[in-house]
């Protein structure tokens, strides 16, 4: 099981996609269409068929290094940095922190619902 996934893959919602150049790293995040936030399950080379996680009960995802989360805080996807952040305006609400995460850390454990993301105005 990849390091980022902390639940069974069978319990997650995923999509299969062909990986664009220059390839991706495990946990790389992005926005599919207007409102689906995803994270790559593993590292994939260009042209490979890769798995995007769009919903998972327990997944470690990249966060902005300055962001601070308490357990239960909502997390927001920032399309400019491709990380989770605590700031809401103009970002996509896509989960809740399952643990605290201090500044200068790079990941947070999240109950992730990227397939139900909503932009905050």
């Amino acid at each position: 099981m990849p390091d980022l996934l902390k639940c069974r893959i069978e319990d997650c919602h995923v999509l299969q996609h062909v990986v664009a150049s220059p390839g991706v790293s495990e946990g790389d995040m992005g926005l599919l269409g207007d409102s689906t936030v995803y994270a790559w399950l593993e590292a994939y080379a260009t042209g490979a068929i890769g798995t995007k996680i769009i919903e998972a009960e327990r997944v470690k995802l990249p966060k902005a290094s300055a962001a601070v989360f308490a357990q239960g805080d909502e997390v927001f996807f920032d399309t400019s940095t491709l990380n989770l952040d605590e700031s809401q305006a103009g970002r996509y609400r896509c989960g809740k922190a399952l643990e605290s995460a201090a500044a200068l850390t790079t990941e947070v454990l999240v109950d992730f619902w990227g397939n139900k993301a909503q932009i905050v105005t």
Side-chain angles (χ1 to χ4, degrees), residues 3-83:
D3 278 345
L4 69 97
L5 200 57
K6 305 301 180 190
C7 57
R8 296 174 346 135
I9 188 72
E10 295 84 2
D11 296 331
C12 301
H13 292 155
V14 299
L15 300 171
Q16 302 290 308
H17 277 247
V18 176
V19 177
S21 180
V24 295
S25 296
E26 177 181 276
D28 282 358
M29 296 185 74
L31 185 65
L32 183 63
D34 290 341
S35 63
T36 300
V37 178
Y38 65 85
W40 288 101
L41 179 63
E42 298 179 277
Y44 300 101
T46 301
I49 305 274
T51 301
K52 292 178 176 177
I53 302 166
I54 58 170
E55 185 175 339
E57 291 178 2
R58 298 177 57 81
V59 61
K60 283 264 191 187
L61 294 175
K63 71 171 201 64
S65 64
V68 176
F69 294 105
Q71 184 176 359
D73 282 355
E74 291 185 324
V75 297
F76 302 87
F77 177 65
D78 183 346
T79 57
S80 64
T81 65
L82 304 179
N83 287 313

